[in-house]
Amino acid sequence: MNMSSEERILIKNIAIKNCGNYYGEHNIELSDSLDKNFTVIIGISGMGKSTIFKLIYWCLYGTHYDPKTEDTSSDQGIINSTLLKSLESGQRAVASVTLDIHDKKGEKYVLSRTLTATNHRETNAKKFDETNNSRINSGIQIESESKMKMKDDDGNIVNQKDIRLIKNSISKLFPENLSDFFLFDGEKLVDFRNKSNAAELIKKGIEKISGLPIVDELISNSKKTKNSIIKHIADKDVDSSILAKELQNFEDDYDEKTDIINSKKSELKKYLSTYDNIVKKIESTKSGKNLQSKISTLEKNSKTLTKEIQRTESKMKDFMFDAIPESLIRETLEKSEEIFAKLEDEDKIPPSISRGAIDKILASDPLRCICGRDFDKDDSAWTKLDEIKKIIIDDDISQGITQGRGLISQILDRSIPKKINDAYDEFVENAKHSRDQKQKILAELDEFNEEIKSIEFENDEDYGQQKKDYWEKISLCQGEITSLTEEWEDLEIKKSGAESRLNKRIEHEKVDTVERNKITIISAVEQFAAQKRSEIIDVLRDKTEESTSKYFLESAPQKEIFDHVKISSKYDITACDADGDVQELSKGQSHVLGLSYVSGCRQITNINTFLFIDSPLHNISGESRNEISQVLAKNLPGVQVVLFVTDSEYLQGDPQGAKPVRSYVNPSNKVWREYQIIDNNDDGIRGKAIEEFKRDV
Amino acid sequence: MSESPKKFDIKDTKRILLGWPPKIAYDGNNDTVVSFYSKASGQTQERTSFFKGKKLTSIFIYAMCLGKRKGLYNDYEKKDGKIDRRATIDVEYFASQPEYVWMMIATAFDHAKNVEDMNNDELLKLFDNPSKIVEICEKYANFGIHQLIKMNDDASIGDPYKGYDEKISDLLDES
């Protein structure tokens, strides 16, 4: 992540006027120092930290970080809602965000986005306004304007207003598809504590880095074109049209199932987040913290045991797979051994001896036969042995027979009933032991969870019961996702089967040669694109793995136990020890893994720009929080970092043992300037304001 | 041996397989068998199938071993006077499973000697006639496959490999 000042491109100043919950004009100057590279924006929850983060995104791209719809919108949009509501007929309000973008020579661009709202008529009706990303009074019209001050080819300063040209210039510096790697929502770090969420995030990240959306679009369009030609041909033949209908049904079911799974995944994410919050509330009391710590240990042990049980069951299945046929055929193999022995006696097949065995005898010193007799090189036995060796070397047949008899002998050896019995008993015993252990742990967990219910919390909430309820919801949701995913995979197989049947039928129709040739060409394009897609993904996954590994091994808490980070073909990310065994990660280690992933992706993409992190310590407490703070302080040298943090996490510790983040990113050491968000009441309009935070460490 | 060193065209498993028919078959006239082979493995396999991720060769060998153990074999069923030798099991997969090849050779040798009463010279000729080896093995598999289907049907959601578990216990009890 270390980069020279020449390569850096950064935002030097942010000017916000009447946007979000900010009323009036506000300036935030950011650090351009290589040493004191941190700027910190502090505010309590809901005060407007994320608003600034989202306004920067809007100013850079002219689109919304979290675009709303008619159903999901609120009154909060780009323009300060109080100002908007106070507009009388004929009045106008202007809101803007301006970013001063600097490179090594200083100011490079000044980018502004402005929204102007005009109230044309008094009405109580409301409408959704996409430009403002909110519900607004129906009488209000909002217009947008973009402006970028830049130098033309002759070095003259021009004010560019052409949206496409502005977009082009910004895309070169800050590609929107890679914005996650410089405008990073810290809440996503929580996803690294959940295997499937992390996998989803990494999959999307790799796809963004790769430019795959273009390839995907090519594949998707090829498929659509091909399907429409196929359907066109199918219409002319009854059997084909039945098959086309069948394919369409599978496709519809598949799409429907995909939507349901995605919605279930979002539901699960919400449940997990609420569950984490409940646990945090429980941990805020001493007895709760104590119980929760025991529960965490037991849960970890339970997970390990579950994996052990799965491993044992899988090994047992493999064992049965090999052992059953070998045991069944054992008697036959014994009889065949006898047959081969007789054939050998009659000199009809070669003796069951290998060249290797003879070589061993010939190389022994003193020369000693396997029967124990010593002999000299001029001994007749030596001569005979040498002759046998020559026959075996010269003879094609010997190796095959010897190998076959050797194999039979090996099968007979490993299928000795006592050996099978002992191995089988061991599997059964191991599985039983692990299951009994897990049962005990689950009983203990129930007891501790019941105990939580007896804790009295200040707000009289029954967090114990809530935790239980949410755990049930999470388990249910996970079960549903697993079962839906299985159905989805089955549909994928059925869909592909139906597609293949239809294609075969059309192939056999021998009509529409021209159309069928088109299908052949499109299929070739589709296949080529799919192959390239897979190759690109493989390369990028390896690169992401390598660079994430590098950062993680440098910065992870207790990094000495790790050897490498692994990203599987299904994008599961794990940290492994030197033996390749996957290590369970603490909350802090999971978050550091997430940060390492972001750092790794920045390296791959050669992004030499700022890193703004919103809520990097979201939902994390105690020692884990300290670990993240240390990583932030030590591992981002030379990068323009802007942290959006709550006042409590930045300035105070927590009962679980976390120290203030400020004590790690000490202002005299890393932080160039701190800002705080405060309540403001200018012109009678309540809003937020930003001022420099001045307090000694 | 030294008098007729080139009698057997065998060097290694791949070499053995070169002389074999390219595909091994099951009974295409029996719908239950056809359905089991197509569903137990391959793309349309059941999620909890014991043969998930395995090849049809493994199903065939399982069936053959079950038949051989019982000492019972079935000829191909006839429909309208015709048999349907559904030759779909690629022999090339045996190259990575030499044990399977020698289980088949052993099955054919034992059958040829003890059922068809072949003498040693006739037995040796089996190496020159791999179709005969395959034919014998297919017959045992034709019988064993019904046992395998039954074992597979014993599965339940909580205990997907029950039939196989019981089979191994039975085998150990018998020994």
Side-chain angles (χ1 to χ4, degrees), chain A residues 332-473:
Chain A
T332 304
L333 294 176
E334 280 172 341
K335 284 184 189 169
S336 74
E337 255 203 340
E338 286 168 17
I339 295 172
F340 285 124
K342 276 190 182 169
L343 290 170
E344 184 189 322
D345 284 347
E346 293 171 14
D347 261 356
K348 287 181 173 160
I349 58 169
S352 183
I353 188 163
S354 67
R355 278 176 292 163
I358 294 180
D359 277 337
K360 205 172 171 185
I361 297 168
L362 293 175
S364 62
D365 185 22
L367 289 168
R368 177 167 291 167
C369 179
I370 40 171
C371 65
R373 181 194 157 193
D374 291 337
F375 55 93
D376 299 322
K377 281 194 174 180
D378 54 356
D379 196 306
S380 60
W382 162 270
T383 318
K384 191 76 185 163
L385 207 55
D386 208 29
E387 276 171 22
I388 294 172
K389 192 189 166 196
K390 275 179 193 157
I391 292 166
I392 292 175
I393 290 167
D394 295 341
D395 194 341
D396 273 356
I397 65 169
S398 56
Q399 205 178 349
I401 295 283
T402 308
Q403 187 199 45
R405 294 180 71 188
L407 276 172
I408 289 173
S409 162
Q410 280 171 23
I411 298 170
L412 285 170
D413 181 56
R414 63 181 179 236
S415 64
I416 291 170
K418 187 171 180 330
K419 279 191 181 175
I420 301 272
N421 202 11
D422 290 350
Y424 184 70
D425 282 353
E426 199 181 328
F427 280 126
V428 172
E429 188 52 41
N430 285 347
K432 186 177 174 302
H433 179 71
S434 302
R435 279 199 201 97
D436 289 349
Q437 289 281 100
K438 197 181 164 186
Q439 241 6 76
K440 270 186 199 167
I441 289 177
L442 292 178
E444 274 182 79
L445 274 171
D446 280 347
E447 274 176 33
F448 287 135
N449 277 321
E450 276 303 310
E451 241 180 276
I452 289 178
K453 288 187 192 169
S454 61
I455 300 172
E456 285 181 14
F457 294 94
E458 277 179 10
N459 52 8
D460 287 337
E461 290 280 348
D462 187 351
Y463 289 120
Q465 186 60 40
Q466 287 180 23
K467 186 183 173 212
K468 191 179 172 211
D469 292 345
Y470 269 89
W471 185 246
E472 280 169 8
K473 282 182 186 178

Side-chain angles (χ1 to χ4, degrees), chain A residues 62-77:
Chain A
T63 54
H64 300 289
Y65 183 80
D66 55 346
K68 300 280 194 278
T69 63
E70 196 137 11
D71 296 332
T72 58
S73 63
S74 68
D75 290 346
Q76 278 293 352

Side-chain angles (χ1 to χ4, degrees), chain A residues 41-49 644-648 675-677:
Chain A
I41 297 171
I42 313 160
I44 61 171
S45 282
M47 201 68 167
K49 298 184 300 295
F644 297 79
V645 288
T646 64
D647 58 343
S648 57
Y675 294 93
Q676 65 176 336
I677 301 169

Side-chain angles (χ1 to χ4, degrees), chain A residues 46-204:
Chain A
M47 201 68 167
K49 298 184 300 295
S50 297
T51 304
I52 300 175
F53 186 83
K54 289 170 188 172
L55 286 172
I56 295 167
Y57 186 93
W58 174 69
C59 186
L60 282 173
Y61 304 112
T63 54
H64 300 289
Y65 183 80
D66 55 346
K68 300 280 194 278
T69 63
E70 196 137 11
D71 296 332
T72 58
S73 63
S74 68
D75 290 346
Q76 278 293 352
I78 296 287
I79 305 173
N80 181 285
S81 59
T82 317
L83 176 63
L84 210 53
K85 280 176 193 165
S86 70
L87 274 189
E88 291 177 9
S89 185
Q91 282 187 329
R92 295 166 76 183
V94 177
S96 66
V97 178
T98 303
L99 302 177
D100 292 357
I101 298 165
H102 283 213
D103 65 4
K104 59 179 178 180
K105 294 175 194 159
E107 187 178 290
K108 184 173 176 69
Y109 300 121
V110 178
L111 173 66
S112 310
R113 305 266 182 194
T114 306
L115 292 188
T116 305
T118 311
N119 192 351
H120 292 287
R121 61 190 163 88
E122 291 294 340
T123 172
N124 288 327
K126 295 232 170 181
K127 64 176 180 183
F128 171 66
D129 186 90
E130 217 170 288
T131 313
N132 198 50
N133 204 28
S134 75
R135 274 197 311 266
I136 60 168
N137 192 297
S138 290
I140 294 175
Q141 288 285 324
I142 295 180
E143 285 172 9
S144 70
E145 188 190 14
S146 304
K147 200 163 65 182
M148 190 152 91
K149 194 169 90 176
M150 57 199 288
K151 283 181 187 162
D152 65 12
D153 294 343
D154 302 323
N156 301 317
I157 291 181
V158 289
N159 273 313
Q160 184 55 257
K161 288 189 175 180
D162 186 322
I163 294 173
R164 283 170 306 171
L165 292 176
I166 293 174
K167 194 177 173 182
N168 276 348
S169 304
I170 291 300
S171 290
K172 281 178 197 160
L173 298 175
F174 317 107
E176 189 176 0
N177 60 333
L178 302 181
S179 62
D180 274 352
F181 306 131
F182 43 86
L183 285 171
F184 186 72
D185 180 357
E187 286 190 20
K188 287 181 181 166
L189 290 175
V190 178
D191 287 341
F192 278 83
R193 276 150 52 186
N194 176 284
K195 192 177 148 190
S196 61
N197 290 346
E200 189 66 24
L201 202 76
I202 289 170
K203 181 172 182 265
K204 282 184 184 164

Side-chain angles (χ1 to χ4, degrees), chain A residues 321 325 403-404 407 411, chain B residues 12-26 37 54-65 85 87-107 130 133-135 137-138 141:
Chain A
F321 191 84
Q403 187 199 45
L407 276 172
I411 298 170
Chain B
D12 52 28
T13 310
K14 274 190 180 172
R15 186 98 181 244
I16 293 172
L17 291 172
L18 280 177
W20 284 40
K23 307 249 185 190
I24 288 174
Y26 55 84
Y37 266 104
K54 309 286 182 184
K55 305 283 180 200
L56 288 178
T57 42
S58 299
I59 302 175
F60 177 83
I61 292 295
Y62 248 79
M64 182 195 77
C65 291
R85 221 184 134 263
T88 50
I89 305 164
D90 279 318
V91 161
E92 64 177 283
Y93 291 126
F94 283 107
S96 55
Q97 293 275 22
E99 291 94 337
Y100 284 178
V101 176
W102 285 92
M103 283 179 181
M104 287 178 74
I105 292 172
T107 298
I133 296 177
V134 170
E135 183 196 313
C137 295
E138 282 179 8

